[in-house]
Amino acid sequence: MIDDPSTRTSYLAWQFAQAVALRLERTLRPLDLSLAQHNALVQVALSPGISSAAVARRAGMTAQSMGTAVNGLLDRGLLERRPHPTNRRVMQLHPTESGLALVQVSQVAIEESNANLFETLSDEDEAVLAGLLRRLVQHTNPDALDLSRSHPD
């Protein structure tokens, strides 16, 4: 007997994550940003000097996938690489003025999309959901929530 997948929390979470990703990709497309690029740009703006590897950990992505996103941002002049002051093997990422300006624009677009995504929930329901998701992310990818770990150990 095959169980209905919609009875599994993980299936529902996956379906919702797919819907969110699609909606955010559509929101960012007019800004010529992928979701991975947006995530990288935001993380670098939050933690100037962060390494590409740390950005990948926060995003829960492979270093190679994040490298592709970061390279696109570098090519567009939205990020720049600088050598780490004490570790020759690490390059630090810094936002450019254009990168910071694009983050501001993208944040407005993301907020509008976010409001539409959760319009079916009350403020209280959304707060409960956010708390539950934060706990689950903390459990599965604590780097995603740890803004203090921006540099290699």
Side-chain angles (χ1 to χ4, degrees):
M1 180 171 149
I2 298 174
D3 292 330
D4 176 359
S6 69
T7 62
R8 291 190 186 94
T9 305
S10 58
Y11 176 81
L12 294 172
W14 178 78
Q15 284 291 336
F16 184 65
Q18 296 300 310
V20 169
L22 258 170
R23 187 165 301 189
L24 293 178
E25 286 281 357
R26 276 192 239 127
T27 297
L28 294 168
R29 192 172 299 137
L31 302 175
D32 196 25
L33 284 174
S34 69
L35 194 49
Q37 287 175 326
H38 178 262
N39 196 348
L41 196 54
V42 167
Q43 294 303 324
V44 173
L46 286 170
S47 302
I50 191 170
S51 70
S52 185
V55 172
R57 283 191 300 274
R58 283 187 188 173
M61 295 175 66
T62 66
Q64 293 81 6
S65 294
M66 185 52 72
T68 300
V70 165
N71 285 336
L73 297 170
L74 290 163
D75 291 345
R76 291 175 56 193
L78 300 170
L79 294 180
E80 61 184 22
R81 279 193 178 113
R82 298 181 196 160
H84 189 278
T86 59
N87 187 339
R88 297 180 333 159
R89 295 176 296 155
V90 175
M91 294 297 286
Q92 296 180 312
L93 297 171
H94 293 270
T96 63
E97 293 291 326
S98 298
L100 290 173
L102 186 56
V103 166
Q104 295 300 318
V105 171
S106 71
Q107 294 294 281
V108 172
I110 292 291
E111 277 304 311
E112 290 172 8
S113 182
N114 198 51
N116 290 333
L117 275 166
F118 298 104
E119 67 188 358
T120 189
L121 299 179
S122 68
D123 290 345
E124 295 80 19
D125 287 344
E126 188 176 351
V128 168
L129 178 61
L132 291 170
L133 290 171
R134 182 172 296 281
R135 279 178 39 203
L136 290 168
V137 170
Q138 180 65 40
H139 175 71
T140 58
N141 182 16
D143 285 330
L145 303 177
D146 187 0
L147 298 183
S148 68
R149 288 187 42 107
S150 61
H151 304 290
D153 298 329

